[in-house]
Amino acid sequence: MIISKTEYYRAWEDSYMKSVSIHSGEGDALRIGTKLYEIKLRREDTRGHLSMIEITVPPNTQIMPPCEHVTCDEVVYVLSGKMWCHTKDLDDDDVVVHELSQGSVLYIPVGATEWFETKVESVQAICVFTPSGGSDAFFSQIGIPTDTRTILPNELPEPDMEAMRLAS
């Protein structure tokens, strides 16, 4: 018996989902210090397959403290600017520094420790977490909702990086 794709997916009702589009200026905008995090896809949008966050960060900023993704891989795609990502893979004691600029992609496997920083330039990047691992919920928990979708001057106090590390 041959069935259509629609019939196949509807047979697996819990797996059936609809396409989702999020446009520029849409998605929850959150402020963490001077940094802007825009949640583009939440885990519930993708049945937990992935979440996507767009980050905009001013120069001379530590983006996140060192953290380990224990449940998901991360892919970072730089839209503009330049940033540095420090990674330490699970079975390696060496820290590798990746210089990322416009068009660069970095894959960070589950279990790796990573942290990001900017230096002279601001950066705008897309971060995809797969499976979702609750990263969207984490940023929603520590971020402050905002209507301003631009980076702010570095005069603002940065959040407590140690508290953020412990929360992750």
Side-chain angles (χ1 to χ4, degrees), residues 112-142:
T113 300
E114 48 89 350
W115 63 99
F116 299 93
E117 65 179 330
T118 60
K119 294 183 181 176
V120 180
E121 299 179 51
S122 62
V123 72
Q124 188 173 18
I126 298 286
C127 301
V128 177
F129 304 90
T130 183
S132 176
S135 54
D136 52 330
F138 168 73
F139 288 110
S140 293
Q141 182 181 17
I142 66 169

Side-chain angles (χ1 to χ4, degrees), residues 18 24 27 30-31 39 46 52 57 60-61 67-68 72-73 77 83 87 105 107 123 139 147:
K18 297 197 183 274
S24 179
L30 305 166
R31 181 82 52 209
I39 299 175
T46 66
M52 178 184 287
V57 182
N60 303 309
T61 303
C67 62
E68 178 184 343
C72 63
D73 296 334
Y77 178 76
M83 65 190 220
T87 61
V105 175
Y107 166 73
V123 72
F139 288 110
D147 292 328

